[in-house]
């Protein structure tokens, strides 16, 4: 990870997360920031280290969550899906907030977060600040309940900065280079 390109990220907090102690403690890691700043890169790195240390992990995008919920509802297997997502030592959900959850996905998400609370670690990435999560879940009360459980034992990485993906395009002159503020 290029800490010099994203100086808003604490290298010490990343290294602490890589010890994987948060998994044994049932804690969460939440990575917030605009597209391209390294949220998914860090989440995958944390998950790979956890697997290397013997933990089980499951990676889903928010889109996967919504699609799997729809399939499970049709099949009548929603409770089985909640159990499946509650089992791994580490659950990673990527791209929360890129589109709003429908009511079914939001409710299943709440059930999973509630079941994992203080038992199973979660890593979430999102491009939305916490204040916007009411829109993501379609319900302010539900979003508050989700955040209450997620944040009780969590470290938030609030990543600010430029997109890694656009960095090379800017160097090549495809996009204008913005001046630091």
């Amino acid at each position: 990870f290029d800490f010099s390109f994203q100086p808003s990220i604490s290298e010490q907090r990343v290294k602490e997360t890589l010890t994987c102690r948060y998994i044994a403690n049932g804690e969460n890691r939440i990575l917030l920031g605009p597209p391209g700043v390294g949220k998914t890169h860090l989440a995958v790195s944390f998950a790979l280290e956890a697997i290397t240390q013997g933990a089980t992990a499951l990676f889903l995008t928010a889109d996967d969550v919504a699609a799997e919920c729809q399939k499970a509802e049709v099949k009548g297997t929603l409770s089985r899906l909640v159990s499946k997502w509650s089992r791994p030592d580490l659950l990673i959900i990527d791209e929360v907030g890129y589109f709003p959850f429908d009511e079914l996905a939001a409710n299943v998400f709440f059930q999973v977060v509630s079941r994992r609370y203080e038992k199973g670690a979660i890593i979430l990435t999102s491009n939305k600040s916490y204040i916007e999560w009411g829109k993501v879940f379609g319900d302010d009360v539900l979003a508050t309940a989700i955040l209450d459980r997620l944040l009780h034992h969590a470290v938030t990485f609030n990543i600010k900065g430029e997109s890694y993906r656009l960095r090379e395009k800017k160097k090549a002159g495809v996009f204008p280079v913005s001046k630091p503020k």
Side-chain angles (χ1 to χ4, degrees):
F1 191 84
D2 185 354
F3 291 98
S4 65
F5 187 73
Q6 297 298 8
S8 65
I9 298 177
S10 164
E11 189 170 352
Q12 180 181 344
R13 288 170 84 193
V14 168
K15 286 179 178 176
E16 171 56 32
T17 298
L18 290 170
T19 68
C20 296
R21 284 189 286 262
Y22 72 102
I23 296 171
N25 296 332
E27 297 172 0
N28 305 313
R29 295 297 181 263
I30 302 171
L31 298 108
L32 303 177
V37 295
K39 300 180 303 292
T40 302
H41 177 85
L42 284 170
V44 169
S45 297
F46 295 156
L48 288 172
E49 184 59 29
I51 291 166
T52 299
Q53 293 188 29
T56 58
L58 176 63
F59 180 97
L60 300 165
T61 66
D63 190 44
D64 294 334
V65 170
E68 292 295 317
C69 287
Q70 291 299 325
K71 287 182 200 171
E73 184 178 44
V74 169
K75 291 180 182 177
T77 58
L78 278 173
S79 63
R80 195 176 304 158
L81 186 64
V82 171
S83 293
K84 176 184 172 184
W85 291 346
S86 300
R87 272 194 296 272
D89 299 320
L90 177 61
L91 177 66
I92 304 97
I93 302 179
D94 193 31
E95 300 179 339
V96 173
Y98 282 85
F99 64 89
F101 280 109
D102 62 18
E103 185 177 358
L104 174 65
N107 286 323
V108 169
F109 188 86
F110 171 74
Q111 289 177 51
V112 171
V113 169
S114 292
R115 191 171 295 179
R116 295 183 67 84
Y117 176 64
E118 294 186 324
K119 296 178 197 139
I122 298 174
I123 295 175
L124 288 179
T125 71
S126 181
N127 65 337
K128 301 290 187 203
S129 66
Y130 295 135
I131 199 126
E132 298 174 276
W133 281 33
K135 292 176 190 162
V136 171
F137 293 101
D139 182 319
D140 288 335
V141 174
L142 182 62
T144 300
I146 289 168
L147 284 168
D148 181 61
R149 287 160 179 80
L150 281 175
L151 296 177
H152 185 216
H153 302 291
V155 170
T156 299
F157 292 84
N158 199 347
I159 307 170
K160 300 171 176 74
E162 300 278 333
S163 167
Y164 280 107
R165 293 181 199 103
L166 297 180
R167 173 173 58 178
E168 295 305 313
K169 299 288 184 189
K170 286 180 180 182
K171 283 182 184 176
V174 176
F175 288 101
V177 177
S178 58
K179 302 273 192 244
K181 294 177 183 177

